[in-house]
Amino acid sequence: MNKVEVIHTPALLPLYSLNDKVVVVIDILRATTTMCVAFNTGVNKILPVASPDECLMFKEFDFIIAAERNAEKVPGFDMGNSPFEYENPFLAGKNIAFTTTNGTKAIKMAKAMNPNCILIGSFLNITALCNRIKESGKDLVLLCSGWKDKYNLEDTLFAGAVIHQQLSSAYEMHDDAALSAYFLFEQHQHDLEAVVRKSSHAKRFTLLHLQTDDVKFCLQQDTITLVPEMEGEFLVNKTATQIAG
Ligand code: MLT
């Protein structure tokens, strides 16, 4: 029987092996949600990069450059990290170099640990993601991006939601980290928005006076049927490649 593990923050990664496992990177507010939206709009590739300085270098290679730090767009960049920005049809066919406080960092850390594959998860694509996981036949790691190496509520809730869907198939919870995510989701599955609005990141949005309701947006379920996946250094939408080619 395949196993599922939950890693509640990237700081815990050194305690785990990702070797030959399917890794789902989770940053519900907002990086992995935003990535799903970008591919749904028709973005070609996303290059996760470590820092705004590195991201800037891709401007001359005709990339859209996107950078967020502390939930705000970094001055001088084309785009920030609100999923609403990535619904713009102008982005279809474009390549994006992207750096965020936690999400892109978690992706790069996972990549360095030789997993079988890295998938991008959000509530928007949860059923497509779970189907993709089931097809893999591999052990599963749900990697929460957290906030600056600390635990956050919304990523763990999502990990619990994935386990909830996975339990109907052949996955067993490997440890208490997975069990606690599962129990958290079980307890709050009918009041997710109220719970996530209490989270520290939602409070951060309030303090920044965000003009859009990103919490509500990021908790929509199954509005997207694709699963972004790492291919080399890039995130791509393999479904689009298969259809095109
Ligand atoms: C991150 O990667 O830390 C986030 O997605 C922060 C945000 O922009 O909400």
Side-chain angles (χ1 to χ4, degrees):
M1 189 180 259
N2 287 115
K3 294 187 175 77
V4 52
E5 293 167 295
V6 174
I7 304 179
H8 288 281
T9 90
L12 297 170
L13 261 173
L15 304 176
Y16 292 83
S17 163
L18 303 188
N19 200 26
D20 202 34
K21 294 175 184 167
V22 170
V23 177
V24 175
V25 178
I26 303 166
D27 186 352
I28 296 303
L29 299 177
R30 295 162 296 179
T32 58
T33 304
T34 294
M35 288 164 180
C36 291
V37 172
F39 282 111
N40 204 43
T41 301
V43 158
N44 184 41
K45 289 179 183 176
I46 295 177
L47 179 66
V49 294
S51 66
D53 281 350
E54 189 185 346
C55 197
L56 267 178
M57 295 189 315
F58 288 89
K59 188 73 184 165
E60 65 175 292
F61 299 107
D62 218 20
F63 278 68
I64 303 280
I65 50 169
E68 166 276 330
R69 284 296 178 272
N70 299 315
E72 293 190 281
K73 178 181 162 189
V74 180
F77 282 78
D78 300 323
M79 305 191 67
N81 187 27
S82 172
F84 288 98
E85 296 176 68
Y86 291 79
E87 290 184 312
N88 186 342
F90 160 81
L91 293 172
K94 301 275 195 295
N95 297 325
I96 301 178
F98 202 5
T99 182
T100 71
T101 311
N102 306 287
T104 53
K105 178 181 153 199
I107 292 169
K108 290 186 77 67
M109 287 173 77
K111 169 109 179 40
M113 291 176 69
N114 198 30
N116 176 271
C117 69
I118 297 177
L119 307 176
I120 297 301
S122 72
F123 282 105
L124 276 56
N125 71 341
I126 185 167
T127 296
L129 174 75
C130 289
N131 290 338
R132 173 71 181 78
I133 292 165
K134 285 175 208 161
E135 279 164 25
S136 75
K138 298 277 181 190
D139 287 345
L140 172 64
V141 172
L142 301 168
L143 172 60
C144 301
S145 299
W147 181 256
K148 299 187 177 176
D149 281 340
K150 293 183 178 166
Y151 175 97
N152 80 22
L153 196 54
E154 63 277 8
D155 293 348
T156 295
L157 273 170
F158 179 76
V162 170
I163 296 171
H164 206 257
Q165 290 213 14
Q166 288 302 312
L167 284 184
S168 53
S169 65
Y171 278 81
E172 70 174 355
M173 285 179 269
H174 187 57
D175 59 11
D176 289 3
L179 273 172
S180 61
Y182 176 74
F183 289 139
L184 187 73
F185 177 76
E186 276 240 297
Q187 193 176 349
H188 293 294
Q189 57 183 306
H190 302 300
D191 61 348
L192 280 183
E193 187 177 328
V195 171
V196 173
R197 285 203 188 276
K198 290 187 199 304
S199 70
S200 42
H201 205 47
K203 287 184 184 147
R204 214 167 272 127
F205 291 163
T206 306
L207 286 174
L208 291 169
H209 303 292
L210 281 200
Q211 297 300 303
T212 47
D213 190 347
D214 290 26
V215 171
K216 195 175 201 65
F217 187 99
C218 293
L219 294 177
Q220 299 172 94
Q221 289 200 26
D222 286 328
T223 56
I224 290 180
T225 55
L226 59 85
V227 183
E229 179 165 351
M230 280 304 268
E231 192 172 65
E233 298 303 317
F234 291 94
L235 285 166
V236 297
N237 170 13
K238 282 197 173 171
T239 324
T241 320
Q242 280 156 11
I243 291 167

XYZ file of all heavy atoms in Angstrom, residues 27-32 34 68-72 80-82 99-105 145-148 201 205 214, ligand 1:
234
model
N 1.079 25.931 -1.476
C 1.107 27.294 -0.913
C -0.227 27.932 -1.261
O -0.356 28.670 -2.241
C 2.277 28.097 -1.494
C 2.412 29.455 -0.824
O 1.519 29.833 -0.036
O 3.399 30.147 -1.092
N -1.228 27.578 -0.460
C -2.610 27.951 -0.802
C -2.760 29.467 -0.909
O -3.389 29.978 -1.830
C -3.585 27.335 0.240
C -3.525 25.801 0.175
C -5.012 27.856 0.054
C -3.819 25.205 -1.184
N -2.183 30.202 0.049
C -2.177 31.674 -0.003
C -0.745 32.119 -0.275
O 0.009 32.314 0.678
C -2.683 32.269 1.324
C -4.116 31.938 1.754
C -4.419 32.552 3.121
C -5.131 32.407 0.746
N -0.286 32.294 -1.573
C -1.107 32.152 -2.728
C -0.361 31.510 -3.898
O -0.920 31.335 -4.969
C -1.562 33.555 -3.203
C -2.459 34.303 -2.222
C -2.536 35.796 -2.500
N -1.257 36.450 -2.321
C -1.037 37.747 -2.519
N -2.008 38.532 -2.925
N 0.151 38.282 -2.326
N 0.940 31.251 -3.702
C 1.783 30.959 -4.871
C 1.300 29.766 -5.707
O 1.242 29.853 -6.939
C 3.228 30.753 -4.444
N 0.949 28.655 -5.044
C 0.590 27.494 -5.882
C -0.812 27.655 -6.482
O -1.100 27.133 -7.558
C 0.742 26.158 -5.123
O -0.074 26.160 -3.947
C 2.198 25.919 -4.753
N -1.896 30.627 -7.493
C -1.607 31.546 -8.596
C -1.007 30.804 -9.790
O -1.339 31.076 -10.946
C -0.658 32.653 -8.083
O -1.381 33.416 -7.111
C -0.186 33.561 -9.189
N 7.178 38.509 -5.474
C 6.435 38.875 -4.256
C 7.334 38.677 -3.048
O 8.082 37.711 -2.968
C 5.197 37.956 -4.132
C 4.493 37.948 -2.777
C 5.123 36.992 -1.756
O 5.689 35.961 -2.157
O 5.081 37.303 -0.560
N 7.295 39.642 -2.129
C 7.912 39.452 -0.811
C 6.965 40.024 0.240
O 6.415 41.107 0.050
C 9.288 40.150 -0.708
C 10.415 39.397 -1.433
C 10.695 38.020 -0.815
N 11.740 37.274 -1.513
C 11.569 36.467 -2.561
N 10.370 36.302 -3.083
N 12.581 35.807 -3.085
N 6.786 39.250 1.293
C 5.889 39.666 2.391
C 4.491 40.042 1.892
O 3.881 41.008 2.363
C 6.520 40.817 3.182
C 7.839 40.365 3.789
O 7.939 39.270 4.357
N 8.879 41.172 3.643
N 4.031 39.265 0.902
C 2.676 39.391 0.335
C 2.493 40.616 -0.557
O 1.379 40.908 -0.998
C 1.595 39.349 1.414
N 3.571 41.326 -0.868
C 3.449 42.500 -1.744
C 4.285 42.304 -3.000
O 5.349 41.663 -2.969
C 3.929 43.749 -1.021
C 3.033 44.139 0.143
C 3.381 45.502 0.680
O 4.359 45.599 1.434
O 2.670 46.457 0.334
N 2.908 40.707 -9.418
C 3.059 40.215 -8.058
C 2.538 38.789 -7.965
O 2.778 37.975 -8.863
N 1.782 38.498 -6.909
C 1.388 37.111 -6.652
C -0.103 36.963 -6.363
O -0.511 36.000 -5.736
C 2.220 36.572 -5.466
C 2.017 35.097 -5.229
O 1.696 34.352 -6.158
N 2.183 34.661 -3.989
N -0.922 37.920 -6.803
C -2.356 37.700 -6.605
C -2.883 36.861 -7.765
O -2.603 37.176 -8.937
C -3.120 39.026 -6.570
O -4.511 38.736 -6.569
N 9.332 34.563 -8.388
C 9.910 34.332 -7.056
C 8.910 34.796 -5.998
O 8.324 35.882 -6.126
C 11.278 35.027 -6.890
O 11.804 34.710 -5.594
C 11.212 36.544 -7.039
N 8.687 33.957 -4.981
C 7.782 34.319 -3.882
C 8.469 33.994 -2.555
O 9.473 33.283 -2.514
C 6.430 33.570 -3.976
O 6.633 32.187 -3.669
C 5.799 33.702 -5.350
N 7.887 34.505 -1.489
C 8.542 34.361 -0.179
C 8.732 32.895 0.203
O 9.810 32.507 0.676
C 7.708 35.069 0.912
O 7.373 36.380 0.462
C 8.469 35.162 2.224
N 7.706 32.077 0.002
C 7.773 30.693 0.490
C 7.537 29.629 -0.587
O 8.188 28.583 -0.572
C 6.712 30.487 1.586
C 6.845 31.513 2.685
O 7.761 31.466 3.498
N 5.938 32.484 2.707
N 6.585 29.888 -1.498
C 6.185 28.843 -2.442
C 7.297 28.427 -3.385
O 7.599 27.232 -3.534
N 7.936 29.395 -4.038
C 8.989 29.026 -4.995
C 10.207 28.464 -4.251
O 10.910 27.608 -4.764
C 9.395 30.228 -5.883
O 9.733 31.342 -5.063
C 8.262 30.619 -6.820
N 10.401 28.927 -3.032
C 11.510 28.381 -2.216
C 11.261 26.884 -1.925
O 12.169 26.055 -2.068
C 11.588 29.173 -0.907
C 12.652 28.694 0.043
C 12.639 29.533 1.321
C 13.179 28.707 2.479
N 12.832 29.211 3.780
N 4.305 24.893 2.257
C 5.321 25.949 2.151
C 5.433 26.780 3.421
O 6.478 27.378 3.692
C 4.999 26.880 0.982
O 5.009 26.150 -0.214
N 4.327 26.839 4.197
C 4.378 27.559 5.474
C 4.674 29.037 5.279
O 4.474 29.618 4.209
N 5.156 29.649 6.362
C 5.532 31.076 6.288
C 6.904 31.240 6.931
O 7.068 31.069 8.128
C 4.499 31.965 7.003
C 4.865 33.416 6.916
C 5.402 34.181 7.912
C 4.761 34.273 5.766
N 5.633 35.461 7.451
C 5.239 35.549 6.140
C 4.297 34.088 4.450
C 5.282 36.627 5.261
C 4.344 35.174 3.571
C 4.820 36.417 3.979
N 7.897 31.513 6.111
C 9.264 31.709 6.597
C 9.681 30.568 7.540
O 10.131 30.805 8.664
C 9.404 33.075 7.249
C 9.122 34.196 6.248
C 9.411 35.566 6.778
C 9.152 36.591 5.671
N 9.306 37.967 6.085
N -1.814 34.697 7.640
C -1.610 35.284 6.312
C -2.840 36.082 5.872
O -2.702 37.131 5.238
C -1.246 34.212 5.292
C -0.465 34.773 4.147
N 0.599 35.619 4.295
C -0.629 34.648 2.801
C 1.074 35.982 3.116
N 0.341 35.401 2.186
N -3.040 40.074 4.784
C -3.750 40.685 3.640
C -4.596 41.872 4.128
O -4.668 42.902 3.469
C -4.690 39.678 2.967
C -4.001 38.556 2.222
C -4.715 37.417 1.875
C -2.667 38.639 1.858
C -4.117 36.384 1.179
C -2.056 37.611 1.163
C -2.782 36.480 0.830
N -8.600 37.617 -2.001
C -7.754 36.488 -2.393
C -8.038 35.242 -1.553
O -7.856 34.119 -2.029
C -6.271 36.885 -2.300
C -5.891 37.881 -3.390
O -6.788 38.604 -3.862
O -4.713 37.937 -3.771
C 4.544 32.939 -0.687
O 5.115 32.262 -1.557
O 5.065 33.205 0.371
C 3.141 33.459 -0.831
O 2.466 32.954 -1.848
C 2.893 34.790 -0.253
C 1.781 35.579 -0.897
O 2.038 36.305 -1.860
O 0.640 35.498 -0.467
